[in-house]
Structures are given as C-alpha cells and as structure tokens.
Amino acid sequence: MSRSDLPALTIADLQSLLRRKEVSPRQVLESLRARIESVEPKIDAYVSIDFEAALKEAETADVNLPLGGVPIAIKDIINVAGQPCTCGSKILAGYRSPYDATVIEKLRAAGAIPFGKTNMDEFAMGSSTENSSVKVTRNPWDVSRVPGGSSGGSAAAVAAGAAFGALGTDTGGSIRQPASLSGLVGLKPSYGRVSRFGVIAFASSLDQVGPLTKTVRDAAMIMSAMAGPDRHDSTSLPDPVPDYTKNLGRDLKGVRLGVPKEYRVEGIDPQVSAAVNAAIKQLESLGAEIVDVTLPHTDYGIAVYYFIATAEASANLARFDGVRYGYRAKDPKDLLDHYGRTREEGFGEEVKRRIILGTYVLSSGYYDAFYVRAQKVRQLIRQDFVKAFEKCDAIVSPTTPEPAFKLGERTTNPLAMYLADIFTNTANLAGICGISVPCGFAKENGSQLPIGLQILGKSLDETRILQIAHAYEQSTDWHKARSPIALDSK
Ligand code: GLN
C-alpha cells in the first residue's frame, strides 16, 4: 500500500501495520498531514492542529501499546495540554489548556497521539456544527450539507479520511447523530463510564465522552483505553473496565432486540424507515429475536431534555466571565459592564438563548413548574427503559429521523434543529449507553447520504451493544463505503 493510502485505514489495521514495523508513527502522521491539507479546504473539520508536538510524540511512541502510534482527533471541548481549546466559542479565544483531560491522559498512556482539535457547535449546543464561532464544517458525503453536531468536526474528519478516529461528546445525541449523518460508528457510553475531568461542562447530568470511528472494533479499542474510574470525577463509576473487543465476533443467537412502537412516529424519512426495517430483518436473520417493547414517555423527551440541559448549562456557563481567561470586552466602565459586555460579545446566539431559557426554568416561581416537573418526567423516562430491558437485551431504532440536511436549512428555526435528537436524547436522560452504526444510504438529488441504526443498551452494557453492532456491521458492506471526499483526495 502506498503512503497516501494510509489515512483510509481503520485503527485496527493501522495498528497492526505499525506493530509489524511496516510503517513508522512519523510516516503515519506525515501521510495524515498531507491528507488533511488536501481535504480540509473542502470540509473545514479542524480548529487547530499541532503537528510539531505530534511528531515529537511519534518519535517515542511505543507501537506495542494498544493504540501505540495512532493519531486521534479531539473535539475542541476536551483539554489537551498546551493546545488551544475554543469549545467553538469566541469567549475562549486565546485560551490554552494548562493540563490534559483524563481521557487524553488515558489515550496517551495507551500510546495514542492527540494531534488536533475538531470543530463543534459552540459549547456543544446544536446538531449541525453551524453554531460554531470558528467556522462551518461540511459533510464529506455532500459538502452542501451538515455533518451533524455538535461533534461535527470529529465526524467530518473521520468520514473524509482526515482522521483515523476521533473523540466527541454526547449530551443529547452529539456523538450518535453526527456519526449517523456522516456514515460512521459513534458510541455514547453509559453515564459515568468515562471521566469528564478536563472536559468543558455543558449539562453535567447528561454529558459523556465517546469515540467516532470507521468501524465498531475501532470504537471498542478506544473505549477500552479511555473508560474507567477517575478520582478527579466523582460521577465516574468504580466498575472495572472490560476488554470491549472481546465479545466482537460472537453471534446473536438468543439476543433479544426490542423495537419500541413509539419510534415508529410520523415524520421519519421513508428511506430511513426502510433502511432501519431492513437492518432489523438482517439482525433477525443473524439469530436475534425481535420483540415489541414500549417506551410510553418518549414524547416528552425533547421537552424534558431542553429544560434540564438548559438549566444545567446556565449554571455551568456562569464561569465564563472574562476575568481569568478567554475573551474580555474592551474598556469596561465598571465590573457589571465588564461581565455584561464580555458575555454579550463572547457568546453566540444559541448559547445565549439557552442561558436565558435555563435561568428562566430555574427561577423562583417557575422552578417547580418546569425544572422539578422535568426531573419527575425524567424518572418516568428512565423507568420506561428499565421495564423495556426486562423484555429485551438491547433496543433498536433509527439514530435520526432524517439523513443530513442542507447547510442553513434549520439555522433560523431552533425547534426544527432540536427535533434532530428525538431518538437520541432519552438515552442521556436515562444514563444508558447507545451506539450508531451505518445501515444504508438515502438518495437525494444525486448524493448518497448515510443512515444510522441506533442500538441502546442498559447502563454499563457497552460490551453487548458493541457485540450486536459488530455482528450487524460485519454482515453488511456499509462500513466499507467511503465518502466522495475520502475517495477523491487520493
Ligand atoms: N443537539 C443537542 C443540543 O443541542 C445535543 C447536543 C449534545 O449532545 N451535545 O443540545
């Protein structure tokens, strides 16, 4: 294989080439750099890249480690020591991370090289990556469309062959939705499975870090390296981390898959329904037993999510006041003027909308009517899943109701944008794990647009959903398809 083909490899294949010393970590980085230079003008996936630091790390990389010498792209919400971290926001302009997030420490310990930061919706608020203050990222399958969000830069980079794998964060769907729209595997771990220390908080009871990759095996490899307890994150779970690659290859005999009747809602693109129904048939032919389940409170998911996520965001974002770091308004008259103008000028429209909404639902007089009630309905949503999992081992559904939409199509209608997460955000509310795996294409005016199948599992049952996703993936050719951008840059 020629050097220029290297970036098309999966992490698993790249790692075995590195281990056999057929390529060096430096050569891998150099070929990745060339690929990024050729595709980046078309997709704008990266916010910052430090090849010099990465090349230094490559010199000493131990290729015998699980991810030894593998470059990984990092969503720009995760602190990487010495690198800028904008979180897609003007308010963090000029800020450089003083330390590594725990996930970065763990990836480094497994031999990976975090070399660049990817674009995202500001503070992870959005489903299209259009809410970034830095730039707009495009979908490598059709550059007139969004890559999804908020981890859209990570998705576009991997889908364009401009990253072997990437980290994203998922508060209501921000890993699974862009994975689905960009033809990738995206895993949202169970709440508490992965440390958030050093990850900028959006909604602390919902946020999780996870991988976006070309294959299920690659996602399992990253998870095995990065999951686990952390004394710096009191919400991280103490349970030991299994080797997530170990069940890959097991068949699906005896596995019960629930299909929730509430997910057969109107408004789903017929091509998405057809692809997901075909995937369910395929899973059945692989030995899975399909059972009907019900998640009766699904309809409340979006409303509950937007009460809780905005409430938590309004508290978390109070720290961005221009005093210690980031953007600072010029020539303030007094302290209040400093705070007011720094935040007014530093935050984008969507972030301000959410801070205002969140402050409102927490304000006295509305707290019980909105926030407390949303917490109660959240419990009902959680119990829906507990009951459903008595009848099945995992739940299958579309990841998103529609394939990638056009750039600009939803920017003036926040509600239409919020609906992109209708199938994903209940998993965050319930704290369970979920994965999106490619399951076909929709044809739209000559473009092929990826469709994703979502598989949801019980808390800490990542091994199971990876097994199911892998069995499905290996029985289809969807994961072998490459985006036009990945193909034409050779
Ligand atoms: N799109 C959802 C939102 O805007 C989810 C974002 C996320 O998961 N970070 O809040």
Side-chain angles (χ1 to χ4, degrees):
M1 112 163 345
S2 90
R3 293 270 159 78
S4 65
D5 291 336
L6 284 175
L9 293 175
T10 64
I11 292 175
D13 289 344
L14 174 70
Q15 232 288 306
S16 48
L17 279 191
L18 282 161
R19 243 176 232 189
R20 295 201 303 270
K21 305 238 185 307
E22 292 180 29
V23 286
S24 69
R26 166 176 274 275
Q27 287 164 341
V28 170
L29 270 174
E30 274 163 0
S31 60
L32 186 63
R33 178 186 218 160
R35 174 66 55 99
I36 291 173
E37 277 164 9
S38 94
V39 301
E40 188 57 9
K42 299 177 204 155
I43 56 165
D44 274 322
Y46 285 94
V47 177
S48 60
I49 300 184
D50 191 342
F51 276 114
E52 297 319 310
L55 283 167
K56 265 202 208 107
E57 282 177 54
E59 294 309 324
T60 54
D62 176 355
V63 294
N64 292 314
L65 290 169
L67 295 170
V70 176
I72 303 278
I74 310 294
K75 184 178 184 179
D76 206 26
I77 194 169
I78 301 174
N79 282 285
V80 177
Q83 304 297 323
C85 190
T86 68
C87 216
S89 185
K90 186 174 162 191
I91 209 152
L92 278 171
Y95 168 73
R96 271 180 192 271
S97 305
Y99 66 98
D100 274 340
T102 298
V103 287
I104 301 299
E105 260 180 16
K106 286 186 177 240
L107 285 185
R108 287 194 208 276
I113 303 176
F115 67 95
K117 310 292 296 287
T118 57
N119 197 22
M120 55 181 284
D121 288 301
E122 185 176 1
F123 287 100
M125 296 171 183
S127 304
S128 69
T129 315
E130 292 164 297
N131 292 342
S132 168
S133 75
V134 186
K135 52 179 157 179
V136 170
T137 299
R138 278 150 285 144
N139 190 318
W141 291 90
D142 175 347
V143 291
S144 71
R145 291 173 190 268
V146 304
S150 63
S151 313
S154 287
V158 180
F164 293 96
L167 295 193
T169 56
D170 191 312
T171 303
S174 279
I175 290 173
R176 290 161 288 158
Q177 187 258 11
S180 170
L181 269 44
S182 304
L184 301 171
V185 173
L187 174 75
K188 182 202 92 74
S190 312
Y191 187 71
R193 181 69 298 192
V194 177
S195 164
R196 283 103 43 91
F197 180 70
V199 181
I200 296 172
F202 162 11
S204 304
S205 75
L206 303 162
D207 299 341
Q208 269 293 291
V209 181
L212 290 106
T213 53
K214 293 168 192 158
T215 64
V216 176
R217 179 171 297 279
D218 287 359
M221 288 172 75
I222 293 183
M223 273 301 288
S224 299
M226 127 180 129
D230 176 13
R231 67 185 181 87
H232 296 302
D233 178 356
S234 61
T235 65
S236 68
L237 296 169
D239 307 62
V241 180
D243 174 359
Y244 290 110
T245 60
K246 106 177 158 255
N247 269 9
L248 304 183
R250 288 236 189 126
D251 67 28
L252 297 185
K253 296 228 166 51
V255 173
R256 296 164 307 161
L257 291 181
V259 179
K261 68 169 196 276
E262 291 77 10
Y263 286 11
R264 298 191 186 278
V265 291
E266 271 174 46
I268 303 189
D269 183 295
Q271 299 190 80
V272 171
S273 306
V276 170
N277 289 338
I280 294 172
K281 286 233 157 58
Q282 175 79 1
L283 285 160
E284 197 171 15
S285 77
L286 294 171
E289 183 193 334
I290 307 298
V291 297
D292 289 330
V293 294
T294 165
L295 300 168
H297 298 93
T298 297
D299 267 1
Y300 302 105
I302 296 267
V304 169
Y305 170 83
Y306 278 96
F307 285 141
I308 293 174
T310 56
E312 293 181 9
S314 72
N316 276 328
L317 271 55
R319 74 191 64 165
F320 300 101
D321 57 10
V323 173
R324 279 155 301 179
Y325 42 72
Y327 178 79
R328 178 177 283 199
K330 293 218 167 42
D331 306 322
K333 283 200 306 285
D334 53 28
L335 189 62
L336 266 188
D337 184 45
H338 161 88
Y339 288 149
R341 276 200 298 113
T342 295
R343 288 167 66 84
E344 188 193 327
E345 293 163 20
F347 287 136
E349 288 299 303
E350 181 61 25
V351 173
K352 284 187 235 178
R353 179 179 297 124
R354 303 232 187 162
I355 292 173
I356 292 168
L357 274 171
T359 308
Y360 182 75
V361 305
L362 288 176
S363 60
S364 73
Y366 295 104
Y367 183 81
D368 288 328
F370 293 127
Y371 184 70
V372 173
R373 190 169 296 179
Q375 291 291 11
K376 289 181 181 161
V377 182
R378 180 179 190 173
Q379 285 308 324
L380 297 174
I381 290 172
R382 200 174 268 166
Q383 281 160 20
D384 280 356
F385 281 106
V386 171
K387 288 205 190 99
F389 284 130
E390 286 168 5
K391 290 179 67 184
C392 63
D393 303 302
I395 291 171
V396 287
S397 77
T399 307
T400 63
E402 290 160 323
F405 45 92
K406 291 257 186 202
L407 290 161
E409 198 178 286
R410 301 199 182 163
T411 38
T412 53
N413 185 350
L415 208 53
M417 192 75 92
Y418 296 173
L419 290 173
D421 302 314
I422 189 153
F423 297 131
T424 48
N425 61 23
T426 50
N428 303 71
L429 291 167
I432 60 175
C433 59
I435 191 167
S436 181
V437 60
C439 74
F441 290 96
K443 296 207 167 47
E444 245 15 284
N445 306 326
S447 291
Q448 286 219 75
L449 305 176
I451 298 172
L453 174 75
Q454 176 174 244
I455 305 168
L456 298 174
K458 287 174 225 172
S459 176
L460 292 182
D461 216 5
E462 280 82 2
T463 307
R464 170 90 70 168
I465 58 171
L466 285 160
Q467 174 205 353
I468 299 167
H470 184 259
Y472 173 74
E473 172 195 78
Q474 293 301 307
S475 74
T476 70
D477 281 334
W478 309 122
H479 63 290
K480 296 185 189 148
R482 292 281 172 263
S483 71
I485 297 284
L487 289 172
D488 79 11
S489 59
K490 282 204 176 146

